[in-house]
């Protein structure tokens, strides 16, 4: 299961590319993209960006401290 | 049997009626054309959320115009005016703390070729006032998202100045910056002193002062800090496509 989740960033763009160019109706495509939107929205949300910025600041400062101690 | 004079009169009246009918049809046709051209719709093809589109919504903030992205000065209150040449019946913004959806927007009409929405944004809570809290905006029409904007704010905990070369522009930034370009294109950020970095990608450098990198796809954050523990936050937006909108139907 976790292997499938790890592969999602590769699988989803390929699947989306195929569906975008397929003969499915616009309604079906819309339903698929709406589902996909909900699936990936959390990953890209401003709240996630806030967490990442704080984590990266801590990591960069840690590198600075390590360099000072060398 | 009708008299020739009466018959000629009837024929002339018929021709006149035909001319009036034709004129009415021409006027109706012209009205139809002008109305459809006044309502430019975004492309109807479903938007693929796996594709990262260019942020190109026109937003005026306290009188200053931004196209799609920007870093705003640290204030408690901002007056935003969103403008789009494409029809808009729904506008929403999301930050780290709240989402606001508004359907009372001034869409494109016979009297205005630009759809507009004006609102005052106040950083009300401590969550919005402290730590990074970016603002993302979306304009939609008929259920289709078609224009986006992304704003970050100056931040008292990120005060390291940097010089940015981004998408044909060169500017100085005081602690927080946003750079949008087509994914894969080369951008740069430089500092006066040596810095250490951590982020969504590892920008290459030969002297720890100047970092030259290719914009990765999507939203990416990198933080740079110097010996004095001053830091700079750079958000790189690497778009895959510009959303093609239909001017008229």
């Amino acid at each position: 299961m976790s292997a499938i989740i790890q592969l999602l960033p590769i699988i989803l763009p390929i699947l989306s590319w195929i569906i975008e160019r397929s003969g499915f109706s616009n309604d079906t495509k819309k339903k698929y993209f709406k589902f996909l939107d909900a699936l990936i929205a959390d990953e890209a949300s401003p709240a996630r960006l806030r967490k990442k910025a704080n984590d990266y600041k801590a990591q960069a400062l840690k590198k600075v401290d390590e360099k000072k101690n060398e | 049997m009708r008299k020739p004079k009466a018959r000629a009169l009837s024929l002339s009246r018929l021709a006149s009626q035909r001319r009036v009918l034709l004129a009415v049809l021409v006027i109706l046709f012209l009205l139809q054309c002008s109305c459809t051209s006044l309502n430019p719709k975004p492309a109807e093809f479903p938007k693929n959320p796996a594709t990262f589109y260019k942020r190109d919504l026109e937003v005026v903030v306290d009188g200053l115009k931004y196209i799609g992205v920007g870093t705003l000065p640290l204030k408690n209150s901002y007056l935003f005016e969103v403008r789009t040449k494409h029809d808009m019946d729904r506008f929403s913004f999301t930050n780290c703390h709240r989402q606001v959806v508004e359907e009372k927007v001034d869409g494109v009409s016979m009297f205005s070729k630009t759809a507009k929405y004006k609102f005052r944004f106040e950083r009300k809570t401590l969550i919005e006032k402290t730590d990074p809290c970016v603002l993302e905006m979306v304009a939609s029409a008929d259920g289709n998202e078609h224009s986006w904007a992304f704003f970050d704010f100056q931040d008292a905990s990120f005060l390291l100045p940097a010089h940015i070369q981004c998408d044909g522009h060169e500017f100085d930034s005081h602690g927080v910056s946003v750079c949008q370009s087509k994914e894969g294109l080369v951008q740069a950020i430089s500092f006066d002193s040596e810095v250490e970095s951590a982020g969504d990608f590892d920008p290459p450098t030969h002297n720890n002062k100047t970092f030259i990198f290719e914009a990765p796809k999507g939203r990416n954050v990198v933080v740079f800090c110097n010996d004095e523990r001053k830091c700079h936050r750079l958000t790189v937006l690497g778009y895959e496509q510009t959303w093609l909108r239909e001017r008229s139907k």
Side-chain angles (χ1 to χ4, degrees), chain B residues 224-235:
Chain B
F224 304 86
C225 299
N226 72 359
D227 283 355
E228 294 168 16
R229 298 178 70 80
K230 276 187 175 176
C231 297
H232 187 99
R233 178 171 83 238
L234 169 69
T235 305

Side-chain angles (χ1 to χ4, degrees), chain A:
Chain A
M1 185 66 184
S2 66
I4 293 172
I5 290 169
Q6 279 177 351
L7 283 173
L8 278 180
I10 301 164
I11 296 167
L12 286 179
I14 297 169
L15 189 63
S16 299
W17 186 87
I18 293 166
I19 287 187
E20 204 171 286
R21 282 154 184 81
S22 68
F24 288 121
S25 70
N26 263 11
D27 246 20
T28 311
K29 287 177 186 175
K30 265 186 189 169
K31 274 178 195 161
Y32 166 75
F33 287 133
K34 216 169 182 177
F35 161 74
L36 191 60
D37 213 0
L39 196 72
I40 63 172
D42 187 51
E43 187 60 24
S45 73
R48 175 107 180 100
L49 287 179
R50 174 190 178 94
K51 189 184 179 308
K52 284 202 292 186
N54 284 334
D55 288 350
Y56 294 146
K57 187 183 177 186
Q59 285 174 32
L61 285 173
K62 196 178 168 194
K63 281 186 188 175
V64 169
D65 292 341
E66 280 170 3
K67 204 178 172 185
K68 270 186 189 171
N69 293 335
E70 270 176 15

Side-chain angles (χ1 to χ4, degrees), chain B residues 21-47:
Chain B
L21 189 67
L22 191 68
V24 167
L25 283 174
V26 167
I27 289 167
L28 282 175
F29 176 75
L30 288 174
L31 270 175
Q32 173 70 15
C33 286
S34 61
C35 286
T36 49
S37 67
L38 277 172
N39 285 299
K41 299 274 184 197
E44 279 195 352
F45 198 81
K47 179 184 82 74

Side-chain angles (χ1 to χ4, degrees), chain B residues 160-163 189-193 195 208-211 224 232:
Chain B
L160 180 65
H163 186 73
I189 183 166
S190 50
F191 301 89
D192 289 337
S193 55
V195 293
N208 277 43
K209 283 185 179 178
T210 298
F211 297 79
F224 304 86
H232 187 99

Side-chain angles (χ1 to χ4, degrees), chain B residues 57 82 88-95 98-103 105 117 119 135-140 145 147-149:
Chain B
L57 183 63
V82 178
M88 171 169 68
D89 54 24
R90 189 175 187 266
F91 171 80
S92 71
F93 72 79
T94 310
N95 71 3
R98 59 179 156 146
Q99 182 175 61
V100 174
V101 179
E102 187 54 74
E103 292 185 343
V105 297
Y117 179 59
F119 66 101
L135 190 61
E136 295 218 61
M137 299 176 178
V138 182
S140 322
E145 293 182 1
S147 303
W148 302 265

